[in-house]
Amino acid sequence: MKTMIIGLGNPGARYAKTRHNVGFMAVDALAARLGLSFKTKGSFAFAEGDGLVLIKPQTFMNLSGGAVLAAMQEFRIKKDAIAVIHDELDIPTGEMRLKTGGGAAGHNGLKSIDAAIGNDYARVRVGINHPRKLDLPLEPADWVLGRFVPGEMELVEPAIEKIIGMYVSEA
């Protein structure tokens, strides 16, 4: 049985390396480690190999659900064989937590996926912290669309390595 790993993010250079694109960063790193490259099919990009199907919705974050559903149908993957990697404001930067089901906590990508397939799927939550916890006068939307600063990337990179370790067996 194949496993589908979905990294959430927004497509395009404008959003590359933003906090909201940590899911894209993780599946890109996973594809690189496995020597896979992405191809685009309709509303999603995919890379396939080693029992995995890696997905990057090519819609904007708040429309991810349609792309996820299309990818699940294309590859005939059931909900219990998917994991969605996404940014999480309520977790300190670089921490990673696993969860199945639950609410979207204001995350528009998760809201869209929940509407398309329900909410009982695995989630890999990568912390990006909340600007309020850092005493920054930024709205959450501005924070998530901001680029990681070097000190933050030093915290996020080990989380991405842990994600890779979850899906790649080093021989």
Side-chain angles (χ1 to χ4, degrees):
M1 178 171 78
K2 290 185 180 180
T3 300
M4 181 174 282
I5 310 301
I6 302 154
L8 293 188
N10 282 311
R14 175 179 178 192
Y15 299 103
K17 303 292 183 194
T18 63
R19 293 176 188 92
H20 221 21
N21 274 34
V22 74
F24 274 16
M25 289 181 226
V27 294
D28 283 340
L30 187 51
R33 185 72 53 90
L34 293 170
L36 304 175
S37 48
F38 283 91
K39 303 170 200 83
T40 300
K41 179 162 185 136
S43 61
F44 59 89
F46 71 97
E48 187 176 12
D50 204 33
L52 299 174
V53 179
L54 309 178
I55 300 292
K56 295 192 302 185
Q58 295 300 291
T59 57
F60 284 100
M61 181 70 77
N62 61 349
L63 300 174
S64 296
V68 169
L69 180 59
M72 289 173 68
Q73 291 171 339
E74 174 70 24
F75 292 98
R76 297 186 175 130
I77 304 282
K78 294 191 183 313
K79 210 176 350 179
D80 62 353
I82 72 167
V84 176
I85 304 170
H86 65 90
D87 59 296
E88 178 68 52
L89 281 167
D90 294 325
I91 298 175
T93 301
E95 285 189 22
M96 183 189 72
R97 297 190 189 153
L98 306 175
K99 170 182 174 177
T100 299
H107 193 291
N108 289 329
L110 295 179
K111 286 180 188 177
S112 178
I113 294 170
D114 291 354
I117 68 167
N119 72 344
D120 55 336
Y121 52 88
R123 301 154 194 236
V124 181
R125 302 157 61 210
V126 179
I128 61 167
N129 221 332
H130 198 293
R132 178 180 57 238
K133 292 179 185 174
L134 300 171
D135 293 325
L136 296 173
L138 291 171
E139 291 298 317
D142 295 327
W143 177 254
V144 300
L145 293 175
R147 294 189 186 282
F148 282 111
V149 296
E152 289 176 310
M153 279 310 301
E154 291 172 8
L155 298 172
V156 170
E157 286 167 355
I160 291 173
E161 282 299 316
K162 284 181 192 172
I163 292 167
I164 292 169
M166 292 168 48
Y167 299 105
V168 175
S169 58
E170 302 292 336

